[in-house]
Amino acid sequence: MTESVKLVVDAMGGDNAPDVVLKGVSAALAENSEIEIYLCGTPDIVEPFASSYDRCIPVSASEVIGMGEHPVDAIKQKKDSSIVVGCGLVKDGVAQGFFSAGSTGACLAAATLIVGRIKGIKRPALAVVLPSYNKPTLLLDVGANADCKPDYLVQFAKMGEIYMKDILGVVSPSVGLLNIGEEDAKGSLFAQEANSLLKAEISSFAGNCEGGDLVDGKFDVVVTDGFTGNVCLKTIEGTSKLMLRYVKDALTSSTSAKLGAALVKGKLTKLKEDINPDKYGGSPLLGIKGTCIIGHGSSNAEAIKNGIIAGYNAIRANLSASIEESLRSASSVKGS
């Protein structure tokens, strides 16, 4: 019998928590019999729910970190919050991973300070899978590090390669550097130095990636600093919603348009599913000792379920161990 994967879920995290979180947990448990969930939150929420499931263990946490609180201050002051308690379970080896749709900043701080970084990792990176035209593209960092040094991006690239290989099955992922032009000399001094380092240390580096290339599937992994990545991600999300709104308005503008819409309803449904960020459920924080998946604050039950499944997949693939081994091997080669 395969040993179960133990994952902490923050019941209190998200704009629509705890209701959508509980629905997502229920769906994940029904879909995957190998998941064991430690549901972390206030006793009045987690205990009644967990009593109805064999593979759900309630974990009491009397405090909740709000979306608007200062991340580091919050995790220091609210020791009994669902985020802090949940990450503590991973640090102590009770669970192998953590999922939350709560405060991104608090999750990043707790995962980094409590669970801890993999030895040799200078900065963990928050990654997101973009639904590009031909194939998915992994973009990192998208918010963990607003200020970066060029050598951080080399580590981001290595971690991104491992994620694409182990989780999405891309045999030889190509790596790009987000920049304002294809030529090596383009961009800021930061971008130019990062380009040189990536070219020297990443064998799969395929050059600079312009903004339009992100959604065209030209690269498998694209690296940038967290400030640029976050702005880029939110711009893509906003543009996708705007385009869908325009399409909807156009197809409901007249009787003839509505008849045409009926003919392409299946294609439109597939389009909506293909660009739906809920498909992947959350963003992995790469570079910490355990698994941490951070969901969007507005996550629905489907996104919560998919985030939990994403955590399961990362744990089953021994993603953190693969990253650690990759760094160890690279250090050995440099030292020889």
Side-chain angles (χ1 to χ4, degrees), residues 123-141:
R123 293 288 189 279
L126 192 62
V128 66
V129 179
L130 299 176
S132 300
Y133 183 70
N134 294 313
K135 57 184 179 179
T137 297
L138 188 73
L139 175 65
L140 69 165
D141 181 23

Side-chain angles (χ1 to χ4, degrees), residues 26-157:
S26 179
L29 289 170
E31 181 173 310
N32 192 317
S33 62
E34 294 181 357
I35 295 178
E36 187 175 334
I37 288 177
Y38 287 78
L39 189 63
C40 196
T42 57
D44 60 310
I45 298 297
V46 300
E47 290 178 1
F49 179 86
S51 66
S52 301
Y53 295 87
D54 293 335
R55 291 175 285 114
C56 186
I57 298 94
V59 179
S60 178
S62 62
E63 298 174 303
V64 178
I65 294 176
M67 294 290 195
E69 296 186 60
H70 186 279
V72 176
D73 289 347
I75 66 168
K76 288 181 178 179
Q77 294 166 10
K78 293 186 173 181
K79 301 290 188 182
D80 201 43
S81 64
S82 52
I83 291 175
V84 172
V85 172
C87 285
L89 292 175
V90 180
K91 177 189 177 184
D92 295 339
V94 175
Q96 298 147 290
F98 175 76
F99 170 82
S100 175
S103 164
T104 298
C107 290
L108 291 172
T112 303
L113 298 175
I114 297 173
V115 179
R117 289 175 289 167
I118 292 171
K119 184 178 180 181
I121 290 292
K122 295 177 180 179
R123 293 288 189 279
L126 192 62
V128 66
V129 179
L130 299 176
S132 300
Y133 183 70
N134 294 313
K135 57 184 179 179
T137 297
L138 188 73
L139 175 65
L140 69 165
D141 181 23
V142 294
N145 308 279
D147 296 304
C148 285
K149 294 180 180 179
D151 58 328
Y152 295 175
L153 270 59
V154 174
Q155 289 195 339
F156 296 171

Side-chain angles (χ1 to χ4, degrees), residues 149-226:
K149 294 180 180 179
D151 58 328
Y152 295 175
L153 270 59
V154 174
Q155 289 195 339
F156 296 171
K158 292 176 180 178
M159 294 191 292
E161 283 185 294
I162 293 169
Y163 187 90
M164 292 302 283
K165 289 177 183 177
D166 292 359
I167 304 300
L168 295 184
V170 180
V171 178
S172 300
S174 60
V175 175
L177 168 67
L178 192 61
N179 208 336
I180 60 172
E182 293 182 357
E183 298 84 2
D184 291 347
K186 284 283 188 176
S188 62
L189 292 176
F190 168 82
Q192 292 176 40
E193 186 176 344
N195 180 288
S196 297
L197 289 174
L198 288 163
K199 188 184 295 183
E201 299 191 36
I202 304 297
S203 60
S204 59
F205 181 59
N208 289 335
C209 169
E210 295 186 88
D213 295 330
L214 269 175
V215 292
D216 195 40
K218 186 175 179 180
F219 299 89
D220 297 301
V221 177
V222 176
V223 294
T224 187
D225 62 275

Side-chain angles (χ1 to χ4, degrees), residues 2-9 28-29 31-37 55 96-99 163 166-167 280 284 290-293 304-320:
T2 305
E3 186 177 347
S4 64
V5 163
K6 296 175 172 60
L7 186 74
V8 180
V9 174
L29 289 170
E31 181 173 310
N32 192 317
S33 62
E34 294 181 357
I35 295 178
E36 187 175 334
I37 288 177
R55 291 175 285 114
Q96 298 147 290
F98 175 76
F99 170 82
Y163 187 90
D166 292 359
I167 304 300
Y280 296 99
T291 292
C292 178
I293 306 292
I304 298 292
K305 183 205 77 172
N306 289 337
I308 293 170
I309 298 299
Y312 166 85
N313 290 335
I315 293 167
R316 272 284 179 249
N318 291 318
L319 187 63
S320 293

